[in-house]
Every structure is written in C-alpha cells, then in structure tokens.
Amino acid sequence: YGGAFNPVHNEHVNIVRAAAEELGLDKVIVIPSAVSPHKRMSLVARGKDRLEACRLAFAGLSFAEVSDYELKRGGISYSYITCRHFKKLYPCDELYFIMGADMLRTFHLWREPEEILKCVTLAVCARENERDLSADLKEFNRRFKGGAVKFGYVGKPVSSTAVRTLAALGEDTAGYVPDSVRLYIRNKKLYAIEDVWKVK
C-alpha cells in the first residue's frame, strides 16, 4: 500500500484493515513514497517524519509492516520499480497493490502499467460517494484484460490535505489521525506555519 502519507490518517488505517480482512492477506506492507509522481503538494513533511508517523499509525495492526524502500531509493517513486522489487522479495506469494478508485481511473497514465500488472493484482476500494465500481472496473478490464479486484470498503471523507491545513493553522487534528500521530504532528510541529499561530 503505497502513498505520500503526508500525513497518514485514519482512513489509511481503515483501508488496510479492510483489505486484509476481505482479501485474506497475511501481510500488508505500507510504503511511504520519496517523491510522488501523481501529486504536487505544499507543506510536505520530511520522509523520516512521514515514515515514523506511519509506524505509529499501523502499530496496532500485527500484520502491517512499514517499509522505507522508496525513501531509501530516493527520487520519484515509480510503482513499477517498487512492484518489481517486492516481487523479487516474495516470488512465490500472491501480491496485491491496494488503491482507491480514483487511482484505478488514472492507472493507464502511470509509468509502465503493464509491468505493474505482471507483478501484482490491483486491490481497489471505493472512495466516499462512489459505492459502485463496476463502470471503473469494466473500463480497466477493457484496457488491461483483467488484473484488478475490488474489496468492499467505502472510504470516508478524510484527506491528508485537510489534516495538513488544520496542523498549519495550529488546530487540533483529533478524529482525523490516530492519537499517536496527532501527538507526533503536534510535538514535531509538522506542517506548522508559526507566523499564523502568532497572529491567531
């Protein structure tokens, strides 16, 4: 399960839990990106802080492991390189790549999508207000002749952008992120714009 995790929030944890339960996964590897090819963000926390926040967020899930592979590799985090790496690590296992429906829609624009599908099956869940994935899966199958499954979780309207904005303004992020992550963001002053705090 890859992403910027800038920062990790409750929905990331819920998606991992749901995917593991529904697909019968014995392990989920969470992989914070170094530089995401799909997102242009302001207020980006350092890789080591995003990594540590992920470790805190997923600490309660015994099957979850947080990997620093993309951060150590550096540069733009292309998924086809990561998928090749983990396929070499786990050559005899069935591998899934967890994502939301919005990512499935743009998957054909990713770098080397066919290479990704040689290594993994995409595991897709709906985003908020998008319960029916049938049209997206039909279009995906038309392009790629299979390689994706859905699991039943429907995401809630929580975003990393909202959490960053609250943190920048010095507001409480409770209810959006695990409590351990909330304290980490506050204590490290991640995303803080302290001049704004002073004005407040």
Side-chain angles (χ1 to χ4, degrees), residues 76-152:
I76 296 176
S77 299
Y78 289 116
S79 296
Y80 79 94
I81 296 172
T82 300
C83 289
R84 274 182 189 162
H85 168 77
F86 284 98
K87 188 63 178 175
K88 285 179 183 175
L89 277 184
Y90 301 101
C92 299
D93 289 304
E94 185 175 1
L95 303 183
Y96 292 89
F97 191 111
I98 300 169
M99 65 172 60
D102 55 332
M103 292 292 160
L104 183 73
R105 266 181 233 116
T106 61
F107 182 74
H108 64 284
L109 301 174
W110 291 24
R111 182 74 63 92
E112 305 286 352
E114 290 86 1
E115 184 65 24
I116 294 171
L117 293 174
K118 287 179 186 176
C119 302
V120 300
T121 298
L122 306 185
V124 188
C125 69
R127 299 295 296 265
E128 64 271 15
N129 304 319
E130 297 179 317
R131 295 178 182 277
D132 187 4
L133 297 180
S134 55
D136 292 323
L137 287 168
K138 183 178 179 181
E139 175 59 20
F140 176 87
N141 288 329
R142 184 189 69 77
R143 286 179 183 271
F144 295 104
K145 314 302 181 200
V149 297
K150 65 178 179 178
F151 59 101

Side-chain angles (χ1 to χ4, degrees), residues 40-99:
R40 297 292 175 264
M41 294 176 290
S42 57
L43 295 173
V44 180
R46 293 178 303 174
K48 70 177 189 177
D49 286 318
R50 291 183 289 115
L51 183 74
E52 182 58 26
C54 282
R55 287 176 173 152
L56 292 169
F58 292 99
L61 302 182
S62 61
F63 55 84
E65 171 187 313
V66 179
S67 169
D68 63 358
Y69 170 73
E70 290 189 349
L71 290 168
K72 276 189 171 177
R73 189 176 162 275
I76 296 176
S77 299
Y78 289 116
S79 296
Y80 79 94
I81 296 172
T82 300
C83 289
R84 274 182 189 162
H85 168 77
F86 284 98
K87 188 63 178 175
K88 285 179 183 175
L89 277 184
Y90 301 101
C92 299
D93 289 304
E94 185 175 1
L95 303 183
Y96 292 89
F97 191 111
I98 300 169
M99 65 172 60

Side-chain angles (χ1 to χ4, degrees), residues 5 7 23 36 52 60 69 92 107 115 125 183 195 199-200:
F5 300 112
L23 299 173
S36 173
E52 182 58 26
Y69 170 73
C92 299
F107 182 74
E115 184 65 24
C125 69
L183 293 173
D195 285 345
V199 170
K200 284 180 60 183

